[in-house]
Amino acid sequence: MRAFVPEYEMKTPENLEEVISILSKQPNEWKLFAGGTDLMVVFETGKLKQKKFLNINSIPELKSLVSNEEDILIGAGCTYSQIQNHPIIKKEFPLMVHSAKVTGAVAIQNRGTIGGNIANMSPAADTPPSLLAYDADIILLSTKGYRVLSYKYFHQAYKQADLRPNEIIMAVRLKREQNITHDYYRKVGTRSAQAISKVCMAATASVNRGKIEWVRIGLGSVGPIPLRPTKTEHFLFQKELTFDNIKEARKMLLTEITPIDDIRSEAMYRREVAGNLLTEFLESLKS
Ligand SMILES: Cc1cc2nc3c(=O)[nH]c(=O)nc-3n(C[C@H](O)[C@H](O)[C@H](O)COP(=O)(O)OP(=O)(O)OC[C@H]3O[C@@H](n4cnc5c(N)ncnc54)[C@H](O)[C@@H]3O)c2cc1C
């Protein structure tokens, strides 16, 4: 059943201060509305519980990308198209470009935002694996000031995260100069566009003379939250790229993921694919 539009209220604050002031005075009453590409799907089904929305889609601070020598801040309101076209992101953070390119199709990429993708907290979202592989931080803002959180600690359980009702995600911070020698991104879905991931993996590594110095792996659709398989990462630390080590890493990864059967895929298939993607990534480190 479709929603009854007059039951809903939308307010457009003039600036960020007004947004956080409203959130702080009435924390659970207002919901942020950025691109609306997740919210409108729920709205159309008549299942959108909140009735009051703050339209943050034209707040300039959320729409900007700011860089200095050390890092780049991607405003939470930046769209996938902005991300794909930014020269520093294109050059230094190809996994962000890759994940933006496989999110929905062009209309969604022009409208959907990175902040919305994070805050929607879907375990199948496509940018979280890249953010995990780059060890991104997120900057949260409330009337009490800024809070910087390592993104790997943001998601806590299915659709639960360290995001307080009076806070807004302000930006994503990516550190430059990470000494990455190899990167990898694969989204496995039913089609190459407009498909939600069955399994998604992003990874970065530093490899020196055939030996792994470190790896970071971000996975989507293989558990209740986007996750980093830290046991597998620790196992691979300072390891040679031998057949046995790759085999052992694959075995270990399968102990760290808990995929489910759902309308898009089956747990058994997801396990097999996650193992295959890790193997493909580790094999790619040999060249
Ligand atoms: C046809 C279609 C295809 C899609 N394909 C993909 C896909 O391939 N991969 C994928 O990952 N997603 C996909 N999506 C989902 C969606 O487009 C993305 O998650 C998008 O990034 C959501 O951003 P938005 O700005 O539209 O969020 P909204 O719908 O505006 O908001 C989503 C949630 O985030 C909250 N929110 C938004 N901004 C902030 C903020 N700054 N701080 C705190 N909370 C905030 C909102 O309150 C809401 O709870 C698809 C959606 C559609 C309709």
Side-chain angles (χ1 to χ4, degrees):
M1 198 187 72
R2 294 190 67 178
F4 182 55
V5 180
E7 284 180 355
Y8 293 83
E9 182 181 346
M10 172 87 88
K11 194 183 217 165
T12 302
E14 288 197 354
N15 50 45
L16 209 44
E17 286 83 63
E18 194 184 339
V19 177
I20 54 176
S21 157
I22 295 169
L23 288 182
S24 112
K25 284 182 195 140
Q26 297 165 300
N28 287 308
E29 203 157 324
W30 294 88
K31 195 159 180 66
L32 300 172
F33 187 104
T37 59
D38 274 315
L39 287 172
M40 288 308 288
V41 174
V42 191
F43 175 81
E44 280 295 311
T45 63
K47 291 182 184 153
L48 195 52
K49 288 195 202 107
Q50 294 81 5
K51 296 282 189 258
K52 291 171 145 192
F53 292 89
L54 289 180
N55 172 20
I56 55 167
N57 203 32
S58 45
I59 306 265
E61 297 97 312
L62 300 178
K63 290 272 169 203
S64 59
L65 287 119
V66 183
S67 63
N68 59 30
E69 272 183 18
E70 280 157 27
D71 39 42
I72 179 159
L73 290 178
I74 306 175
C78 288
T79 63
Y80 298 102
S81 302
Q82 275 179 279
I83 290 170
Q84 283 175 58
N85 291 315
H86 192 275
I88 295 178
I89 300 188
K90 277 195 336 206
K91 189 163 170 230
E92 298 177 27
F93 301 101
L95 302 180
M96 294 307 300
V97 175
H98 203 133
S99 45
K101 276 191 175 155
V102 297
T103 297
V106 176
I108 293 294
Q109 291 168 19
N110 284 340
R111 179 84 197 171
T113 66
I114 187 159
N117 201 227
I118 295 170
N120 192 49
M121 300 172 202
S122 165
D126 289 317
T127 51
S130 297
L131 296 175
L132 290 169
Y134 286 130
D135 201 19
D137 294 322
I138 52 176
I139 320 282
L140 303 150
L141 181 70
S142 71
T143 48
K144 295 193 174 133
Y146 294 98
R147 187 161 72 95
V148 180
L149 178 70
S150 175
Y151 180 61
K152 59 180 175 287
Y153 302 126
F154 179 70
H155 298 281
Q156 298 174 331
Y158 180 68
K159 293 270 180 185
Q160 285 174 39
D162 185 359
L163 177 63
R164 299 169 192 158
N166 63 343
E167 284 179 329
I168 178 169
I169 301 174
M170 162 99 191
V172 167
R173 181 170 75 185
L174 299 173
K175 292 171 264 319
R176 301 174 79 180
E177 300 299 331
Q178 296 199 20
N179 195 24
I180 295 165
T181 60
H182 293 72
D183 55 38
Y184 176 89
Y185 189 94
R186 270 297 285 277
K187 165 175 176 169
V188 177
T190 307
R191 300 173 298 273
S192 54
Q194 297 285 36
I196 304 292
S197 291
K198 294 179 177 188
V199 179
C200 178
M201 183 172 136
T204 53
S206 179
V207 179
N208 189 7
R209 292 185 199 155
K211 191 174 168 187
I212 297 173
E213 291 186 327
W214 54 261
V215 292
R216 284 196 300 258
I217 301 163
L219 285 159
S221 288
V222 293
I225 59 172
L227 63 93
R228 282 224 1 223
T230 47
K231 252 170 61 184
T232 308
E233 289 180 355
H234 288 151
F235 169 77
L236 288 164
F237 182 71
Q238 300 290 336
K239 284 280 189 323
E240 303 284 339
L241 283 158
T242 62
F243 175 82
D244 285 345
N245 283 339
I246 293 175
K247 197 170 149 199
E248 188 56 31
R250 181 193 171 111
K251 234 167 80 187
M252 199 168 280
L253 181 79
L254 300 186
T255 67
E256 295 195 83
I257 59 174
T258 51
I260 54 166
D261 292 339
D262 64 16
I263 49 162
R264 284 187 292 277
S265 192
E266 291 176 354
M268 212 201 301
Y269 175 80
R270 288 182 154 126
R271 291 176 69 75
E272 198 59 28
V273 171
N276 290 350
L277 297 188
L278 179 71
T279 306
E280 185 176 73
F281 162 57
L282 294 175
E283 289 291 344
S284 77
L285 302 184
K286 291 178 178 172
S287 55

